[in-house]
Amino acid sequence: MKIAVAKEIEVCERRVALIPDIVARLVKQGLEVLVETGAGDRAFFSDAAYEAAGATIIADTARVWGEADVVLKVSPPQERSDGSSEVELLREGSVLISFLNPLGNPAVAQKLAERKVSALSMEMIPRSTRAQSMDALSSQASISGYKAVLIGAAALPKYFPMLTTAAGTIAPAKVFVMGAGVAGLQAIATARRLGAIVEAFDIRPAVKEEVLSLGAKFVEVKLDEETATAGGYAREISEDSRRRTQELVAAHIKTADVVITTAQVPGKKAPLLVTEEMVMGMKTGSVIVDIAAEQGGNCACTEPGKDIIKHGVTIIGPINLPSSVPVHASQLYSKNLTSLLQLIIKNNAIQIDFGDDIINDACITHAGEIRNSRVKEALQTVVGAG
């Protein structure tokens, strides 16, 4: 059984699918691990470290992908510089495990199905107690929340903590976190550690206790509709509910020094939480860090991948924040992947058991077909729009 670790070719991706410590454990289990030359370089894991762990280092990309029974990646398959696609490198009947963005870009799922690849999407891991160790969205979102606060603190022309000095007392910064999922909760905790006064908002009332437990004030809105999916994610809300929400948070945004926005809906454009009018009402020198920039942004002024100043406010739209902490991001992701591998590899052979709810939800293509209904719907929408 051969497990391959592919080198990421996306420009901004510094993570690697497996770190050497995890490779050593897989080798001890009797699995052969192939690592593409330089796969871990940008995450500070050398080829020598992989070799010491028992991996075989291979320079030929086509060989790494073509010989593998299971290919592990971070980013979805990309188009290569020579015009070919990484999907074409996969052997028919092999397994691909990666972030695949199947709801946002279902065309990738179509290509994988045509290639007769069994593709497991890390975004589709169910939110259940049993699947916690495989929940890569959560492990990576935690890093995003942490790093967003550090970016905000660095950009703010003020201290975060309260300071009492001979020259006078400095009041603590006020941080407003919008969205109290995994990223938001980590942002709250990090901002509190840095000494800021923190308020947090989320449309899901169930997260109130978690926010309060971290020492933040919870800003609550009463809505007459369900605001969370069965999996615990925020649900897309009606236009009326969105208007009421914006009216409530406007006053809190106005007094904040740093606003961290984290609200995302899988497969959808990020909800608009901060209008340009709200930005105009903020204090000069304030900062917005929009974690949802890749999905269009929670702020009307966000430009993905750019830092801009508008109406005296610095608006930062970071892309792929987990990649900026590649050592620990890779470590956590490696654990997520190997936990999932244990489900599909039995007695040194691949067993895709659709009776297992985790595999059933995560496997989006198998035997030449797209088997996930949500991905099929997303693909039909794209085709219809085209």
Side-chain angles (χ1 to χ4, degrees):
M1 174 67 61
K2 294 182 179 181
I3 310 295
V5 178
K7 182 178 181 179
E8 304 296 325
I9 61 174
E10 188 172 342
V11 174
C12 65
E13 188 53 74
R14 296 171 61 194
R15 293 169 290 179
V16 64
L18 291 184
I19 65 172
D21 283 351
I22 297 294
V23 168
R25 296 178 198 174
L26 295 177
V27 171
K28 285 181 180 178
Q29 294 174 20
L31 301 175
E32 184 177 352
V33 181
L34 312 178
V35 176
E36 186 174 355
T37 300
D41 284 354
R42 286 189 286 179
F44 304 100
F45 299 108
S46 66
D47 287 348
Y50 284 105
E51 278 192 304
T56 300
I57 308 300
I58 300 176
D60 186 344
T61 301
R63 182 184 163 198
V64 173
W65 289 68
E67 290 187 6
D69 299 295
V70 181
V71 174
L72 303 179
K73 280 190 93 275
V74 180
S75 298
Q78 308 286 317
E79 296 298 316
R80 293 166 54 80
S81 58
D82 61 5
S84 64
S85 167
E86 287 185 319
V87 172
E88 297 169 5
L89 297 174
L90 288 159
R91 177 170 53 79
E92 289 190 10
S94 62
V95 175
L96 172 67
I97 307 178
S98 178
F99 281 118
L100 296 172
N101 189 24
L103 300 180
N105 184 18
V108 171
Q110 180 66 55
K111 292 177 182 177
L112 290 166
E114 292 171 355
R115 191 66 178 172
K116 295 183 173 58
V117 170
S118 295
L120 282 75
S121 172
M122 297 305 288
E123 293 97 334
M124 306 300 282
I125 296 290
R127 274 202 159 174
S128 63
T129 301
R130 181 167 164 262
Q132 280 184 342
S133 64
M134 310 167 206
D135 188 355
L137 280 180
S138 291
S139 74
Q140 304 303 295
S142 180
I143 293 173
S144 294
Y146 162 80
K147 195 61 183 286
V149 173
L150 299 187
I151 290 171
L156 184 69
K158 299 179 179 180
Y159 276 120
F160 253 44
M162 182 180 77
L163 294 175
T164 301
T165 73
T169 299
I170 294 174
K174 294 182 179 180
V175 175
F176 186 42
V177 178
M178 304 186 72
V182 175
L185 292 172
Q186 185 60 257
I188 292 167
T190 304
R192 289 285 295 145
R193 292 188 194 104
L194 292 178
I197 294 173
V198 184
E199 293 183 323
F201 165 79
D202 198 291
I203 60 174
R204 299 165 295 174
V207 303
K208 179 178 181 179
E209 289 187 12
E210 293 179 270
V211 169
L212 295 177
S213 72
L214 293 172
K217 176 184 176 182
F218 185 63
V219 178
E220 189 170 6
V221 60
K222 302 290 186 180
L223 299 178
D224 301 323
E225 62 179 288
E226 184 59 51
T227 56
T229 66
Y233 294 101
R235 185 187 299 274
E236 191 171 19
I237 58 177
S238 66
E239 188 59 39
D240 179 63
S241 293
R242 187 176 292 109
R243 177 185 55 77
R244 289 169 57 191
T245 296
Q246 290 177 346
E247 289 174 356
L248 173 70
V249 304
H252 297 272
I253 290 173
K254 187 175 183 178
T255 62
D257 294 300
V258 176
V259 175
I260 309 289
T261 66
T262 70
Q264 301 179 61
V265 180
K268 303 283 186 179
K269 187 180 185 298
L272 177 63
L273 302 180
V274 183
T275 64
E276 185 166 356
E277 184 179 0
M278 293 179 192
V279 174
M280 292 172 66
M282 294 178 71
K283 295 176 289 186
T284 299
S286 299
V287 177
I288 296 174
V289 182
D290 192 344
I291 292 179
E294 288 179 86
Q295 286 192 348
N298 295 140
C299 176
C301 302
T302 296
E303 294 185 26
K306 295 182 179 180
D307 299 359
I308 64 170
I309 297 177
K310 198 161 189 177
H311 308 301
V313 177
T314 299
I315 303 161
I316 302 171
I319 298 294
N320 196 0
L321 275 178
S323 182
S324 67
V325 189
V327 173
H328 284 147
S330 299
Q331 178 183 330
L332 296 173
Y333 186 62
S334 293
K335 173 61 177 176
N336 298 143
L337 284 179
T338 51
S339 294
L340 182 55
L341 276 177
Q342 304 308 313
L343 289 185
I344 68 169
I345 298 178
K346 306 291 184 183
N347 300 318
N348 211 31
I350 295 173
Q351 296 181 22
I352 306 292
D353 178 12
F354 295 116
D356 185 299
D357 65 304
I358 297 174
I359 294 175
N360 185 61
D361 287 1
C363 187
I364 61 169
T365 66
H366 181 70
E369 296 182 353
I370 296 176
R371 61 176 315 280
N372 184 285
S373 59
R374 294 170 64 197
V375 178
K376 287 180 181 178
E377 291 173 8
L379 184 62
Q380 289 171 355
T381 300
V382 171
V383 172

